[in-house]
């Protein structure tokens, strides 16, 4: 039975605090964003993408995140949601826009002084000078602290001398470097010393460095190489940059956290070098939040195409039906539902979690005064975790959507290939996902160690879990859920599988168990004579599992909060089913782990599978409503197969001369043919 | 400790019966195959690919599979292995070649008479006329029996009149149709009747139909539309074909299984229409075997790139190390080993299984006289299953390789993007994988029902399993393994996890259990008043699981056979480790299922995980040997990152000014950073 809920109701649930930015985008984003030609010659496509970036900027929406003093909106959250909405269009535009406004503009905003803001930001907002962000090097990506480009201060001229010492230290994969960027935010090892002091390495700092003149010619000492064609995002002109004694005025060192005096004396308000590095990179957390948000939009676009196609494409006659009956619609097959509906439910849950994360980022970065270190660390942990989980989800879901559309899904006109290829690198850039998940694990160990000290005994598991529950209680209004959450016993066979309290308890205790366990293992590294490297390596997958469990829990928290906030009964019921499907599919994925620990009995584990199937069946009538609820305007969905224009069978069922024989399938569709399987036995 | 085995020894193990074809390919395949330009304008690239196909044909190797009477080699197995070797190069060439020689040429060979062979095959072998294979339609891909193109016989002119009745019935995704193909093997519903007989639908038949004249102009009544850019394989010119009253001489109906007399009388040696359809499509099984073989080569190329990169790329210092020590090589990280080494082990196992399948195909298709229906069915079941499993393995492994190479893996120059995009559709074409796995399930039900009748009781599980073991005994010389296999008890906690007998018993019993279970469920469809569609749909995932379990078992059988055949102790030991890693990773993947049935205790399940980790550790020193053992000539591995040319850190460790701070990673590498995680607790 369809739920009777309206798509607009669901769109409202998913809108979050910046619904106005979503509405603005739906009304004003230029059509060109959805109609680029990624198969044009590469430089033509790159220029087209820059044109679209300028067209978007002309609507004013790309200024939301800049300081009001330079004409921006001073609204961090709005800037994230604006970026996210670009994710429904050409992703090269989204990334090109993100590099210029978010990374280059963001570095100047976060790491620079008001003087830098005045000198650089107005031209950035107006896209008068295209900026890029030169952090990664060929030899060092994940390990930013080890980059090797140097900026050596020369007090004689009050300049910093920028040098690429060898091939491994060239800046690489830099979006904008190959063709358009005129100015770069360059990260380098700063070397300076005051009078009588030996010049000393001060760690990674950021400088503003011009690359090209107004006519686009490279400046002296700057060499650029094109990274060439990539798997996707070919509208972004990635390249390599090599600096040979490029001189930059002292005033172009972004000096919010550290300064060089005219005589070379280095000073910083932040005493610890490691803390300074943390703050320098921490200011850039917005990039990760943006990627996680934007990839969600791309995933939603893919699901809209695949689900709509699955609701019109028919393949194979129903068993026992005569030759004139209609063939079965793909989404009526269990296997097809299993592919698409849990992914759709998880996409809803991730959107809700992303909305919370965007709000948290906004609140932390908009708070007056010094940033609270604990808040900042929790923000970074969540940003890293959600970025990793959202991009992995995108990669697998878009792939599934492609396969679910068969041969039609392989055609560029149906957009899935471009979505797949463009999002592929999202698991790598703005932090490799595996590395990010380790940061999450590290962050958790730090937080919980503060609360629980040694954390050496298994008794701590319950204490950790209880603390999480208490924190939930502080922010939640879902008293009933929370009561059940407090009382639920994870190993119990009695609780309703659809009880959110029981589900949540399972996730919370899993996280606590994994975390306490990995802390115990890592303690061994401190034993006398221990091979610390071996201990860490042995525990690596354990740490990654703990991080994943944490993110899973955070996502379900956001779901519970949205359910609490929902005032309409019908919408709430539908949301509860979507939530059940997401949570139970998550538990199903990890059910071996629960079985190994006796937290699920074999019977209950099988019941989880059966309930996921039931939920797919229950949500099937609302499948179209659920994709419509994502709030994607029709004109943004350009794939012909989403509009029933291609791949439609005749529908009349007449005139066919089928032999009725068992079809050995060949060719292009993803139909599932169980109906053709004869019963051989019984 | 490295094993001391030579790469040549491993290459020999993987060579199979057609090692000479592999050697021939290594010596003679033209360099152009490995140096195409997929980023050239599409039609330029398409023409380049056809040129390379002709260059390969000029070496004579593409004639291996054709009948000796027309100048071919008459060697089916050689033709498959020749196709497979093309998979190390540009996959558009492999597919373009496969469409022309394998699908078009194969249809004429298998479905035509000697007259057809004489008239069409010499020009096919010489690539004087380019052929294509027009089976799939826009509206029907998997369900070939329901295609709607008609071929109506007109006795007045002794011609067949070919018509596309509506848009959904146009031929679609047809490789070669858009640009090069001059002639097509077209599948259509044949309609004919003898004197005084109403013209009647006779089911799907195949005709040879000219599409273009020698100058490349389309012939009257033939309309073609370009499918346009695709996710990959853009060197293949896929298109749509519409026929309007195209007249084809009666003699161009491929009539091995059925004929039309001049007066329109239809006759066939095969009485049952469903059996005729089965034989018509069955003759085309070679295509699936080829795809499974070719995708294996592509997977091996990707693993060679990723493993070699993982052995040279370093990221993050060892914990506790001072600033001058070398950073850690990626493949020393547990998480990195986990990504690549089980996939490499499975790739070995699949190659061995493919070699067996190729041999079986060769023997069935080369046997004199009538084809044995049971043999044919088992061949089709295995071809369908291995095609699905090998293509899924390729999709996930190549993706993993891309991610394991970080940003460098996203660059076209490093080949992984093209491998990923080109192989993506392999899960769809030559039979959608989900549909194929259902065919496997159906084939199993048919076979076992013949042996066990009603198969209604759980007691049958052991009987089914014992029968599989007995069949293994007939063909195997591994007496020791078999003895253990007979005696092993799946639920036992005692057996060594590395005991192949125990492992095999577990797989065999899983297959039997799933099969008997699904047969029981499907019986319900026959109950009075049952909704057959609902029963089938409910059992769909169960049937798919049974099919997968079957393929898993078949693959391990091939592994055991290779171990038996191995006479060198050191090679045998290495092969046993690789086999253990493959089998235990397979059991690990399904361990929830075993736990749910009590076949693994929680402790033993955890031990499976731990042993997979151990095996990764043990095989780590042989990682390079294992990829070298794949036997890919150096000049075929064109990715610079596989040759240490890009992305190398400085290596000297000196001159760095790292702060030693915790690096919040950003940018392009897949390094795993656990060493940077400080121990917070304990």
């Amino acid at each position: 039975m369809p739920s009777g809920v309206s798509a607009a109701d669901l769109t409202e649930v998913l809108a979050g605090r910046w619904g106005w930015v979503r509405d603005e985008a739906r009304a004003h984003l230029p059509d060109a964003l959805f109609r680029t030609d990624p198969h044009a010659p590469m430089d033509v496509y790159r220029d087209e993408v820059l044109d679209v970036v300028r067209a978007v900027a002309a609507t004013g929406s790309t200024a939301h995140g800049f300081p009001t003093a330079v004409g921006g909106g001073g609204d961090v959250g709005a800037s994230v949601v604006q970026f996210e909405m670009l994710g429904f269009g050409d992703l090269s535009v989204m990334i090109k826009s993100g590099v210029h406004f978010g990374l280059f503009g963001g570095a100047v905003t976060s790491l620079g002084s008001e003087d830098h803001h005045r000198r650089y930001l107005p031209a950035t907002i107006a896209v008068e000078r295209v900026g890029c962000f030169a952090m990664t090097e060929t030899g060092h990506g994940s390990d930013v602290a080890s980059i090797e480009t140097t900026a050596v201060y020369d007090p004689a001229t009050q300049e910093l001398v920028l040098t690429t010492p060898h091939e491994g230290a060239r800046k690489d994969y830099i979006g904008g470097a190959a063709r358009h960027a005129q100015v770069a935010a360059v990260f380098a090892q700063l070397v300076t010393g005051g009078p009588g002091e030996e010049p000393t390495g001060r760690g990674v700092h950021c400088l503003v460095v011009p690359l090209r003149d107004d006519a686009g010619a490279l400046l002296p000492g700057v060499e650029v190489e094109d990274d060439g064609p990539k798997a996707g995002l070919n509208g972004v002109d990635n390249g390599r940059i090599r600096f040979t004694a490029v001189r930059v005025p002292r005033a172009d060192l972004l000096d919010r956290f550290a300064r060089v005096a005219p005589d070379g004396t280095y000073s910083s308000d932040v005493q610890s070098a490691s803390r300074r590095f943390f703050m320098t990179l921490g200011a850039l957390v917005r990039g990760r939040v943006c990627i996680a948000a934007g990839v969600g939009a791309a995933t939603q676009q893919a699901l809209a195409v695949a689900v709509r196609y699955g609701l019109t494409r028919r393949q194979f006659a129903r068993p026992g039906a005569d030759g004139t009956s209609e063939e079965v619609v793909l989404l009526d097959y269990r296997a097809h539902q299993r592919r698409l509906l849990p992914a759709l439910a998880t996409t809803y849950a991730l959107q809700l979690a992303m909305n919370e994360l965007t709000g948290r980022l906004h609140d932390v970065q908009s708070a007056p005064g010094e940033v609270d270190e604990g808040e900042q660390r929790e923000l970074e942990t969540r940003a890293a975790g959600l970025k990793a989980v959202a991009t992995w989800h995108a990669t697998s879901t878009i792939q599934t959507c492609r396969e679910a559309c068969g041969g039609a899904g392989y055609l560029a006109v149906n957009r899935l290939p471009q979505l797949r290829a463009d999002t592929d690198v999202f698991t790598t850039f703005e932090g490799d996902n595996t590395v990010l998940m380790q940061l999450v694990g590290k962050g958790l160990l730090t937080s919980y160690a503060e609360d629980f000290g040694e954390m050496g005994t298994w008794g701590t598991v319950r204490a950790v879990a209880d603390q999480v529950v208490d924190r939930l209680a502080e922010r939640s209004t879902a008293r009933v859920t929370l009561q059940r959450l407090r009382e639920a016993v994870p190993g119990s066979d009695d609780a309703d599988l659809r009880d959110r309290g029981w589900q949540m308890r399972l996730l919370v205790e899993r996280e606590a168990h994994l975390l306490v366990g990995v802390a115990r293992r890592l303690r061994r590294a401190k034993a006398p004579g221990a091979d610390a490297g071996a201990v860490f390596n042995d525990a690596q997958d354990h740490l990654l599992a703990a991080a994943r469990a944490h993110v899973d829990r955070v996502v379900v928290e956001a779901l519970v909060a949205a359910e609490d906030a929902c005032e309409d009964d019908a919408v709430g019921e539908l949301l509860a089913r979507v939530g059940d499907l997401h949570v139970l599919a998550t538990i199903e994925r990890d059910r071996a782990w629960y079985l190994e620990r006796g937290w699920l009995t074999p019977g209950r584990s099988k019941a989880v599978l059966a309930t996921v199937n039931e939920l797919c069946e229950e949500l099937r009538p609302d499948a179209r409503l659920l994709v419509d609820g994502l709030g994607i305007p029709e004109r943004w969905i350009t794939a012909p197969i989403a509009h029933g224009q291609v791949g439609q069978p005749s529908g009349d069922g007449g005139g066919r001369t089928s032999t009725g024989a068992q079809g050995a399938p060949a060719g292009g569709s993803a139909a599932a043919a169980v109906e053709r399987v004869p019963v051989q036995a019984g």
Side-chain angles (χ1 to χ4, degrees), chain A:
Chain A
M1 289 276 282
S3 63
V5 168
S6 81
D9 289 337
L10 291 175
T11 307
E12 182 63 29
V13 169
L14 296 176
R17 281 161 64 182
W18 286 272
W20 64 270
V21 179
R22 299 181 194 278
D23 291 338
E24 178 189 84
R26 290 183 189 115
H28 298 305
L29 277 182
D31 278 354
L33 176 62
F34 308 90
R35 282 158 179 80
T36 53
D37 180 11
H39 297 275
M42 196 165 68
D43 280 340
V44 173
Y45 178 39
R46 287 166 165 182
D47 291 348
E48 182 187 17
V49 163
L50 180 58
D51 287 345
V52 180
V53 169
R54 290 188 201 277
V56 173
T59 70
S61 63
T62 49
H64 290 325
F66 289 98
T68 50
V70 295
D75 187 333
V76 174
S79 77
V80 173
V81 176
Q82 190 272 340
F83 179 91
E84 177 182 338
M85 295 305 281
L86 295 179
F88 289 109
D90 183 311
L91 295 169
S92 282
V93 174
M94 181 182 85
I95 296 302
K96 183 95 179 166
S97 180
V99 168
H100 173 76
F101 297 108
L103 292 178
F104 174 77
V108 173
T109 304
S110 305
L111 305 176
S113 63
E114 282 177 20
D115 173 57
H116 295 118
H117 293 185
R118 263 193 309 275
R119 289 196 287 132
Y120 290 110
L121 294 184
T124 302
I125 293 172
V127 206
E128 281 161 15
R129 288 218 299 177
V130 177
C132 70
F133 184 80
M135 176 184 271
T136 294
E137 298 176 355
T138 305
H140 291 93
S142 292
D143 186 3
V144 176
S146 298
I147 58 169
E148 297 173 284
T149 300
T150 54
V152 180
Y153 185 66
D154 176 2
T157 60
Q158 295 199 25
E159 289 168 324
L160 291 145
V161 185
L162 204 61
T163 303
T164 302
H166 59 84
E167 280 298 284
R170 64 190 182 186
K171 296 295 175 185
D172 207 346
Y173 317 108
I174 309 303
R179 189 169 174 87
H180 294 134
Q182 292 161 286
V183 60
V186 177
F187 290 79
Q189 302 287 353
L190 175 65
V191 180
T192 188
E197 196 183 15
E198 189 69 21
T200 309
R202 308 291 179 171
V204 175
H205 290 68
C206 184
L207 302 80
V208 178
V209 183
L211 298 180
R212 292 181 170 89
D213 63 21
D214 288 344
L218 287 168
L219 295 171
V222 177
E223 283 170 276
V224 159
E225 196 179 306
D226 199 319
D227 274 325
K230 307 183 297 290
L233 294 179
N234 280 309
V236 182
D237 52 324
N238 295 76
R240 306 183 175 109
I241 313 174
R242 210 177 285 105
F243 299 103
T244 308
V246 171
R247 290 184 163 263
V248 179
R250 190 177 61 91
D252 284 333
L253 176 72
L254 296 178
D255 59 357
R256 178 165 162 207
F257 298 121
R259 278 151 300 281
V260 175
D263 66 4
T265 303
Y266 180 80
S267 65
S268 172
D269 307 331
V270 185
Q271 287 313 307
S272 138
S274 94
R275 174 138 174 78
R276 195 158 55 237
F277 183 75
F278 171 79
M279 291 177 74
T280 300
L281 294 200
L284 306 171
V285 66
R286 199 188 300 183
R288 283 185 194 147
V289 178
C290 281
I291 290 300
V295 85
T299 310
Q300 291 174 17
Q301 171 81 251
L303 279 166
V305 172
V307 169
R308 288 164 68 137
Y309 182 65
L311 287 168
T312 53
R313 172 78 174 183
R314 293 171 180 275
Q315 201 78 169
F316 291 105
R318 217 169 268 287
D322 63 22
T324 61
S325 75
E326 245 185 344
E327 291 160 277
V328 179
V329 94
L330 293 190
L331 208 62
D332 280 343
Y333 290 105
R334 162 73 49 84
H336 214 76
Q337 291 170 5
R338 269 277 185 175
R339 285 168 126 173
L340 296 176
L341 299 183
L344 182 56
T346 295
T347 301
Y348 263 74
L350 284 173
Q351 180 68 56
L352 296 167
M354 280 311 304
N355 289 350
E356 282 206 349
L357 177 64
T358 302
R360 184 182 286 259
L361 171 80
H362 178 88
D363 294 342
V364 168
Q365 295 200 339
S366 307
E370 273 288 287
V371 170
D372 176 80
E373 192 174 338
E375 289 277 347
Q376 173 75 19
R377 201 173 54 206
E378 182 150 359
L379 171 65
E380 291 197 14
T381 298
R382 294 202 171 200
L386 276 169
K387 184 272 183 185
V389 168
T391 55
W392 272 323
H393 175 67
T395 298
S396 73
T397 300
I398 298 172
Q399 178 65 23
T400 298
C401 289
R402 198 302 284 161
E403 295 184 24
C405 294
Y410 198 63
L411 300 186
V413 70
N414 289 320
R415 287 216 50 197
L416 297 168
Q418 202 62 39
L419 289 169
R420 180 69 193 74
D422 288 346
T423 54
D424 190 88
V425 79
F426 287 32
T427 56
T428 296
F429 69 13
E430 290 289 323
D432 173 82
N433 280 1
T434 302
V435 179
L436 289 182
M437 288 305 265
Q438 294 193 167
L439 279 192
V440 172
K442 166 186 170 290
L444 295 177
L445 287 172
T446 307
S447 304
Y448 289 137
E450 283 169 6
D451 296 330
F452 297 98
E454 291 274 321
M455 260 207 328
T457 62
W458 288 112
T460 327
V461 174
R462 179 50 58 101
V464 172
D466 283 346
Q467 197 202 53
V468 171
V469 172
D470 288 344
R471 282 187 190 159
L472 280 180
E474 283 167 27
R475 59 188 286 265
S476 175
T477 58
R479 299 291 165 211
V480 180
T481 302
L482 275 167
Q483 192 54 36
R484 291 203 307 268
L485 178 54
R486 279 181 206 284
E487 290 163 3
V489 180
S492 145
D493 246 25
D494 300 333
D496 181 356
L497 283 175
R498 302 194 189 198
D499 180 326
R500 193 76 76 243
W502 172 80
Q503 294 167 355
M504 193 76 187
R505 186 93 218 174
L506 208 60
L507 296 183
V508 166
E509 299 232 350
R510 170 168 149 85
E511 177 188 356
H513 189 279
L514 284 163
L515 196 58
V516 171
V518 79
R520 282 164 56 98
R521 290 179 69 172
L522 293 181
R523 283 174 66 192
R524 293 182 209 144
K526 293 201 165 177
D531 176 348
V535 171
F536 285 126
N537 211 16
D538 266 354
Q540 190 179 22
D541 41 4
H542 195 153
L543 185 72
L544 292 172
R548 179 66 200 232
H550 171 73
V551 179
D552 288 341
R553 190 258 295 172
V554 164
V555 171
V556 179
E557 268 185 54
L559 193 68
V560 171
E563 287 170 349
D564 283 1
C566 184
E567 291 174 357
D568 181 293
D569 282 353
V571 175
E573 243 175 70
L574 180 60
L575 205 58
R577 277 190 186 169
V578 170
D580 282 334
L581 182 54
H582 165 70
V583 183
L584 291 176
T586 302
I587 292 171
E588 183 188 44
R589 185 194 67 206
D590 295 320
R591 68 192 203 284
W593 190 91
Y594 294 111
L595 283 158
E596 281 164 358
R597 275 142 204 91
W599 294 12
L600 286 181
T601 60
R604 201 153 170 84
S605 176
K606 290 185 200 170
V608 169
L609 259 88
T611 310
V612 169
N613 284 341
E614 268 171 39
L615 284 161
C616 285
E617 200 77 30
E618 289 172 26
L619 285 169
R620 160 67 186 83
D622 285 322
R624 177 64 193 251
L625 171 69
L626 288 169
V627 294
D628 288 350
L630 299 170
I632 314 171
E634 281 297 300
R635 73 197 161 83
W636 292 8
I637 301 175
T638 57
I641 53 169
H643 300 278
Q645 287 171 21
V646 183
Q648 290 294 87
S650 59
D652 62 310
R656 291 194 291 127
T657 51
S658 165
T659 60
Q662 300 309 313
S669 151
V674 76
E675 281 74 4
R676 296 237 156 210
V677 178
V679 188
Q680 298 293 342

